[in-house]
Amino acid sequence: MAEFADYNFYTQFFYGDVIPKGDFKGAATKAGWYIRQITFGRVSDDFEMAYPEYAEHIRMAACAVAEVFYQEGQRTKRHDGREIS
């Protein structure tokens, strides 16, 4: 399974600076699964051919979701897996 965006897209076009390169693949994979889930599978690995007019939008959304997953994971690690309210 491919991620919807790679690290180069994340840094060069999304201008992301939150996720380190070594952690990007994991966060992007989780983002991909989430996007597939909320779109009921309509956005999948062939999204560039199926939705060429939305390909960049999908990549941008994947980067945003990846940042959320990464930040939540870091927050959880800092607090020994407990949710802090």
Side-chain angles (χ1 to χ4, degrees):
M1 165 195 296
E3 293 80 28
F4 293 133
D6 60 14
Y7 194 73
N8 183 55
F9 183 89
Y10 173 67
T11 58
Q12 300 299 314
F13 298 99
F14 185 76
Y15 301 107
D17 60 358
V18 173
I19 308 171
K21 187 173 186 174
D23 294 329
F24 184 77
K25 186 165 178 71
T29 299
K30 289 177 186 177
W33 279 105
Y34 180 76
I35 290 170
R36 282 177 182 82
Q37 181 181 16
I38 64 171
T39 62
F40 300 100
R42 287 187 292 271
V43 176
S44 60
D45 290 343
D46 66 345
F47 73 97
E48 290 177 338
M49 290 191 308
Y51 306 105
E53 66 275 20
Y54 299 114
E56 188 170 339
H57 299 253
I58 293 167
R59 285 190 193 93
M60 289 287 195
C63 290
V65 172
E67 281 192 349
V68 171
F69 278 122
Y70 175 77
Q71 289 172 325
E72 181 59 28
Q74 293 302 303
R75 194 171 16 260
T76 301
K77 284 180 188 176
R78 282 194 304 271
H79 298 290
D80 296 323
R82 295 174 299 198
E83 186 173 327
I84 305 299
S85 58

